[in-house]
Amino acid sequence: MPEVIIVGGGMVGLSLSLMLAKAKINVKLLEAIKYPTEHDQKLLEYHSRFDARNSALSRRSISIYQQLGLWTVLQQYATPILEVQITEQGSFGHATLRAQEEQVESFGQVIENAWLGRVLLKEVRQSEYIELIDGVEVTALTQNESSVCVTAVRAEQAMPFEAPLVIAADGRDSKCRQLLGVSASHHDYEQVALVTTVQTSKPHQQVGFERFSPLGPLALLPLPGDYRRSVVWPVKKGEQEQWLGEVNDDHFLAALQHAYGDRAGRFEKTAPRFCYPLSQVLADKQAIGRVVLMGNAAHTLHPVAGQGFNLCLRDADVLVRYLTTHLKNHEDIGTPSLLQAYEKARRKDQQRVIKFCDSVVKGFSNNHPVLKLARNVGLLAFDRIPGVKPLVANYAMGLKV
């Protein structure tokens, strides 16, 4: 019997399985999508799980990958963020965070999900402690006092699995969460994130921009190659079609130019744009008997501050620490009281990040003159009041949770 079953082989599920494998815990990893082979480079690079999006890895997340022995490889595809500039289009407020002033090597590093996923998947396939079973759909999940039974189907063939602990990392619309009867709160931001890569005439110099515009908050982050930058631009739902497709390349570049001015130089080229609906989904419970909800199945956040994936990795890191301690004491790692203790331990960090992301979205999506004045004054205060920047920077880097 495997010691853990993970449902969901996205980046959270892959990362978590490697953390467990490092602790010599056997894992069965179930994934609905059939992954390409490592030789099929084109499909693997832009597979739906390793798509056009990017992850801004906090220093805490980098530390986790260092402990897994993966950062030397991942570093080749990552770019450090040495400075962050926060501004609002057409307003006087601004703030700047500099890694040198905060006495850190960087605030984190940006990596394309395509590369991160490729490295993680390759490592999972090579691990003696992980069995990856892809192309299967979970159809049933039941529990008893000592184990959890999971039924998965592939090509109409039922495949039963059993383990003392199941971790459901199967995304925002988690089938496991539904099978467990766990409800979740949903808040639709009425936005769609446009995601792409652009080339600019000025080198990025490892500077990231957060620019609040009337169309939505834009993130422009540095990528490998001096002139490549990632764009995440939440726009109103229903307005995304005007930005998609090759025929709209010039229109999209002109809109970026208008929003950013000349800070990045000229926006010269753009890759295809992809879009993703934005909502906040929070599970009412994360520990249900011998099952733990993880990743977007537990909490799906707005990408405005780039904190979602980093929060998920911190969750995974803490859970693995709890499990390894129990294993050393020869105790049952699926004990409900243990999983409830994990959930309680993570509550403060999760609530802080959830509240921060939601507040930023709502605070900068309202163009009322009084609120606009208040947030610009707030940006200036943030930029100038001693002691505020180090506190915010440490939270963003995941160093104080």
Side-chain angles (χ1 to χ4, degrees):
M1 178 187 293
E3 291 178 289
V4 175
I5 293 172
I6 298 177
V7 180
M11 291 193 299
V12 173
L14 292 170
S15 299
L16 176 58
S17 66
L18 291 170
M19 294 180 202
L20 292 169
K22 181 175 173 56
K24 298 184 178 180
I25 298 175
N26 291 314
V27 177
K28 267 191 167 56
L29 179 59
L30 311 182
E31 166 55 38
I33 290 171
K34 181 65 177 177
Y35 279 133
T37 67
E38 61 181 304
H39 302 296
D40 196 341
Q41 301 296 326
K42 186 175 186 298
L43 281 176
L44 184 55
E45 184 172 353
Y46 288 104
H47 197 262
S48 59
R49 288 288 182 144
F50 312 140
D51 49 33
R53 287 173 283 192
N54 308 277
S55 295
L57 300 177
S58 69
R59 289 177 59 81
R60 174 78 175 273
S61 296
I62 292 169
S63 175
I64 290 171
Y65 286 127
Q66 286 173 333
Q67 293 167 20
L68 292 173
L70 295 178
W71 187 246
T72 300
V73 177
L74 292 173
Q75 175 72 83
Q76 302 174 57
Y77 311 113
T79 301
I81 302 173
L82 302 183
E83 183 176 309
V84 179
Q85 296 184 15
I86 308 168
T87 57
E88 181 169 7
Q89 184 180 351
S91 300
F92 60 86
H94 69 272
T96 302
L97 286 165
R98 296 180 179 87
Q100 185 176 13
E101 292 177 0
E102 306 307 324
Q103 298 181 339
V104 293
E105 174 263 332
S106 70
F107 292 120
Q109 305 224 16
V110 185
I111 187 168
E112 292 165 279
N113 288 3
W115 288 112
L116 177 57
R118 172 185 273 172
V119 171
L120 294 176
L121 182 58
K122 182 178 180 180
E123 193 72 14
V124 161
R125 283 181 161 147
Q126 293 176 346
S127 174
E128 62 178 303
Y129 293 99
I130 304 171
E131 181 182 0
L132 174 61
I133 305 169
D134 56 1
V136 297
E137 179 185 357
V138 171
T139 58
L141 190 157
T142 58
Q143 304 187 59
N144 55 46
E145 288 187 4
S146 59
S147 66
V148 186
C149 300
V150 177
T151 301
V153 175
R154 178 194 285 158
E156 300 184 356
Q157 179 182 358
M159 306 168 65
F161 302 99
E162 188 175 2
L165 170 63
V166 167
I167 302 173
D170 52 343
R172 181 185 65 180
D173 302 318
S174 171
K175 181 66 176 291
C176 289
R177 191 178 66 219
Q178 297 172 30
L179 291 170
L180 290 164
V182 176
S183 57
S185 64
H186 294 254
H187 175 72
D188 190 341
Y189 287 107
E190 298 296 328
Q191 293 178 331
V192 173
L194 294 176
V195 180
T196 190
T197 301
V198 296
Q199 177 179 304
T200 57
S201 62
K202 289 183 180 179
H204 54 62
Q205 297 180 314
Q206 289 79 50
V207 176
F209 293 96
E210 189 74 39
R211 178 78 161 164
F212 295 96
S213 79
L215 291 176
L218 293 90
L220 192 68
L221 298 176
L223 290 174
D226 291 341
Y227 301 90
R228 296 177 66 242
R229 309 178 194 232
S230 77
V231 175
V232 180
W233 192 352
V235 299
K236 289 182 180 179
K237 186 183 294 184
E239 297 183 359
Q240 65 269 24
E241 292 301 323
Q242 65 177 306
W243 310 108
L244 303 176
E246 189 175 345
V247 295
N248 290 317
D249 283 2
D250 291 341
H251 178 46
F252 177 73
L253 290 171
L256 278 180
Q257 196 75 65
H258 179 69
Y260 275 101
D262 63 355
R263 291 171 180 79
R266 296 186 311 278
F267 287 87
E268 298 179 331
K269 294 181 181 179
T270 176
R273 273 78 64 206
F274 299 86
C275 62
Y276 306 91
L278 298 179
S279 61
Q280 181 191 82
V281 181
L282 306 176
D284 291 346
K285 293 190 292 184
Q286 296 178 32
I288 309 95
R290 291 178 169 272
V291 181
V292 175
L293 301 181
M294 184 69 60
N296 284 343
H299 41 67
T300 301
L301 308 182
H302 194 286
V304 65
Q307 291 299 304
F309 183 57
N310 293 302
L311 179 63
C312 294
L313 286 183
R314 294 201 295 274
D315 289 343
D317 184 47
V318 172
L319 178 60
V320 172
R321 292 173 190 270
Y322 271 70
L323 298 181
T324 52
T325 298
H326 256 55
L327 274 179
K328 288 177 182 178
N329 296 329
H330 304 287
E331 297 174 331
D332 180 1
I333 61 173
T335 302
S337 59
L338 165 68
L339 305 183
Q340 290 166 9
Y342 152 78
E343 180 179 10
K344 183 178 179 180
R346 294 299 301 140
R347 191 170 296 148
K348 182 178 180 181
D349 185 25
Q350 291 177 0
Q351 290 178 347
R352 175 184 57 79
V353 173
I354 291 166
K355 183 178 181 180
F356 173 72
C357 293
D358 189 55
S359 298
V360 170
V361 176
K362 292 177 179 177
F364 281 89
S365 297
N366 190 321
N367 289 317
H368 190 281
V370 174
L371 183 57
K372 189 171 183 177
L373 174 63
R375 64 184 177 235
N376 276 272
V377 171
L379 280 176
L380 287 178
F382 169 75
D383 198 52
R384 298 178 185 181
I385 296 177
V388 176
K389 287 185 182 180
L391 180 63
V392 173
N394 280 328
Y395 275 127
M397 291 185 288
L399 301 180
K400 287 189 177 180
V401 297

